[in-house]
């Protein structure tokens, strides 16, 4: 892995055209569409990073697996009673809950992440913000901060998130106020990372919840397993089937154009390239993940058969 040529990978996907940067908040609309960075972190702690792996971007939905992990850890698994784990085949911000239960369908769509962010330890918004920032920093192995402008804009402009939070209040599934739920989720989405830090976060999941760089146990192994399982089925929303067929690696997409990938027992990876396809997945990120998976033989179901 350490000898894998990430510069060549970046150049191979640079020519891939198509996609639009997200326009939901000003900071995302003004993202550099030409940024491409990739980082790999082995579960042994080895790091490989391309030239721009230190360029900051907001986590956006790449935070969702980690919110799920913190909610599972802080509730001793009881979060699984409050959020489903089935793929939806619908957009990430669909105004829809699981029929019959009123629960969010899974923790990788907005409804689910609004709910999991409300379940982490903390008595109020500030307490949950603090717990999330501390938890994400432990996953990344360095101290992370939220971009206050993005947090504020997403809180103010996230009408669909407010709608989902109110819907979950009406079903009795969300037990904090709708506004508090959106505030905490928006701030989590606004946390700044870079490809290197996000790859360490992925590697912590791939390493069973232990950060391979710092050695810290961040969440129990059973939590990491649950999170990676749900990334595999729901992490790329209504593109999850397509993603799993071509890349074959559990992953989470996001509207900043970031992707976090976890290959259990092997490595974590992060890719950032802002132009998105219609499902909110980075176009060049998907192309890079295809190449990475093929070159390193990482497809979960692509192992050569001995028969
Ligand atoms: N903060 C964004 C939202 O809630 C995240 C969505 C995403 O990355 N898919 O709309």
């Amino acid at each position: 892995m350490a000898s894998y040529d990430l510069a060549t990978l970046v150049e191979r996907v640079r020519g891939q055209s198509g996609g639009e940067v997200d326009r939901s908040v000003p900071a995302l609309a003004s993202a550099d569409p030409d940024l491409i960075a990739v980082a790999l972190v082995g579960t042994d702690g080895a790091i490989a990073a391309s030239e721009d792996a230190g360029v900051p971007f907001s986590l956006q939905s790449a935070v969702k697996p980690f919110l799920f992990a913190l909610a599972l850890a802080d509730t001793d698994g009881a979060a699984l009673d409050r959020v489903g784990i089935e793929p939806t085949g619908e957009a990430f911000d669909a105004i829809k809950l699981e029929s019959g239960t009123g629960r969010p369908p899974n923790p990788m769509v907005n409804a689910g992440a609004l709910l999991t962010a409300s379940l982490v330890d903390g008595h109020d918004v500030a307490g949950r913000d603090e717990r999330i920032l501390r938890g994400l920093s432990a996953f990344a192995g360095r101290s992370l901060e939220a971009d206050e402008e993005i947090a504020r804009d997403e809180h103010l402009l996230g009408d669909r998130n407010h709608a989902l939070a109110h819907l979950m209040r009406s079903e009795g599934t969300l037990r904090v106020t709708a506004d508090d739920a959106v505030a905490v989720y928006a701030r989590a989405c606004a946390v700044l990372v870079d490809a290197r830090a996000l790859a360490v976060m992925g590697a912590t999941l791939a390493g069973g919840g232990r950060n391979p760089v710092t050695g810290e146990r961040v969440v129990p192994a059973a939590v990491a397993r649950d999170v990676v399982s749900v990334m595999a089925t729901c992490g790329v929303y209504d593109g999850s089937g397509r993603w799993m067929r071509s890349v074959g690696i559990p992953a989470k997409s996001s509207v900043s154009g970031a992707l976090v990938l976890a290959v259990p027992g092997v490595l974590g990876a992060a890719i950032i390239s802002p132009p998105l396809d219609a499902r909110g997945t980075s176009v060049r990120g998907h192309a890079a993940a295809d190449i990475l998976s093929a070159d390193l033989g990482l497809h979960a179901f692509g192992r050569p058969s001995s028969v």
Side-chain angles (χ1 to χ4, degrees), residues 24 60-62 64 92 110 154 161 185 189 237 253-256:
S24 60
Q60 299 300 327
S61 287
K64 289 169 176 168
F92 61 85
N110 285 16
E154 291 209 33
N161 291 332
Y185 167 70
C189 287
Y237 310 123
S253 57
S254 79
V255 295
S256 52

